[in-house]
Amino acid sequence: MAPACSPTNSLHVAVIGAGAAGLAAARELRRETHSVIIFERGTQVGGLWVYTPQTEPDPLSLDPNRTVVHSSVYDSLRTNLPRECMGYRDFPFVPRNDDASRDPRRYPSHREVLAYLQDFAREFKLEEMVRFETEVVCVEPEGQKWKIQSRSSDGIFKDEIFDSVVVCNGHYTEPRVAHVPGIDSWPGKQIHSHNYRVPDPFKDQVVVVIGNFASGSDISRDITGVAKEVHIASRSNPSETYQKLPGSNNLWLHSMIESARKDGSIVFQNGKVVQADTIVHCTGYKYHFPFLNTNGYITVDDNCVGPLYKHVFPPALAPTLSFIGLPWMTLQFFMFELQSKWVAAVLSGRVTLPSSDRMMEDVTAFYANRDANKLPKRYTHKLGECQVDYLNWIADQVGAPPVEHWRAEEVHGGYRRLATQSDTFRDKWDDDHLILEAYEDFLRQKLI
Ligand code: FAD
């Protein structure tokens, strides 16, 4: 059992990952007077937002021994939510008019997000806590503390002891691939969106994209510019779905694939058949903690990481082990910041957690509610409509203000626009009043 923390505890804390979550965690931990080391296997801060044209040698990333490329960002990627609601709360993601190389758009490119994270790291002197090119290969309990084994780029292994570990390793690197009946004898190519960068390889091809959420919708539109035809298959569509999508003349939406045949054809549940060259799986990712050894206490089962109290603390190992950034939600950076404040305050003893038994009861009740609502286990961390309530609950724990009216409204409006105008939502909107409200808020708090 992990030790209880007495008030004003200053602990030695390891943070795994220097992406948006790890940077927020390190900042909040240091604010709370903990000493922090961030382990980062890459060469710079920014995590997912560090674009690389490099992809993995196995286009479906099925080989567990492959060389992993961390980023899943494609060249044309622009944010899928407005910048003013995407940033950290007290470091707003506003256009930098003093620098012509920056992207001032409301839904900017991935390069602008990386530049913003670099600004954040510079402003709060976070890089001085990072050990770059150092991969965490094992995390395990050692008495009341944690042993971390890391490997530096020169291949040297090192063991160190920490009071606490905060896991921020990201969860968009280990692909989930859809099962398609007959796929083993289908002769075409397959790729997961993790390994998609540019549309050029799909020139003149007939492409089937599986999945129509953010990446599926973006990538299919990216490919339509060069491909002969693009067909989106989505399991959330009714079986009769067959629709030509607006904005291009070679893009169709279907129900899910029924089967793939050895003559190269793909049969959809709507009865349509296409002769396809490539399938692009835009089917999401799996939580993956290859370094974590908790003697089987924490498991990942059908993409449910557990047991975790409020998606952050494993009851029997709390508070010295925690996870930042597991829930799927729109307000990612904002959530990282709040979860990090909570972890930092609990570690210092300023905020207390319920007993381990009470936390476990909460987890059990949460699972029972999920099952009663017939939600599949793989959606355990999908908060959807409940995201603002979740954030407000954590805000309340740490004495932070609730989610601002304009931010919550932008999330709802953003979802609506994404669903109804997926080809234009980044450049046409109807909520200028919310932008105004956001900037008034930033000005009032002297954040800009
Ligand atoms: P990451 O950014 O993935 O960072 C994890 C870090 O941990 C990496 O630097 C990695 O190198 C390091 N690491 C991993 N394992 C180890 C190890 N063993 N040892 C040492 N270091 C390790 N969110 C938005 O808010 N807006 C968007 O528009 C948006 N668009 C997205 C588009 C795509 C295609 C995807 C996949 C996600 C998008 N997201 C978006 C979500 C995005 O993932 C989060 O916003 C956020 O960047 C994730 O931050 P993170 O720190 O949790 O993970």
Side-chain angles (χ1 to χ4, degrees), residues 145-160:
K145 299 189 183 240
W146 292 91
K147 184 170 85 182
I148 288 207
Q149 183 175 65
S150 61
R151 180 178 50 212
S152 55
S153 54
D154 46 16
I156 294 175
F157 288 84
K158 190 171 174 185
D159 287 351
E160 288 162 276

Side-chain angles (χ1 to χ4, degrees), residues 113-169:
V113 183
L114 178 62
Y116 165 73
L117 288 172
Q118 290 166 338
D119 287 346
F120 179 73
R122 200 174 308 113
E123 175 75 17
F124 300 107
K125 300 187 174 44
L126 304 177
E127 283 205 4
E128 63 193 31
M129 291 184 271
V130 187
R131 255 192 236 162
F132 289 109
E133 296 185 80
T134 309
E135 179 173 17
V136 170
V137 292
C138 186
V139 174
E140 58 189 14
E142 171 96 2
Q144 301 282 291
K145 299 189 183 240
W146 292 91
K147 184 170 85 182
I148 288 207
Q149 183 175 65
S150 61
R151 180 178 50 212
S152 55
S153 54
D154 46 16
I156 294 175
F157 288 84
K158 190 171 174 185
D159 287 351
E160 288 162 276
I161 302 294
F162 288 85
D163 298 313
S164 170
V165 178
V166 183
V167 180
C168 306
N169 66 324

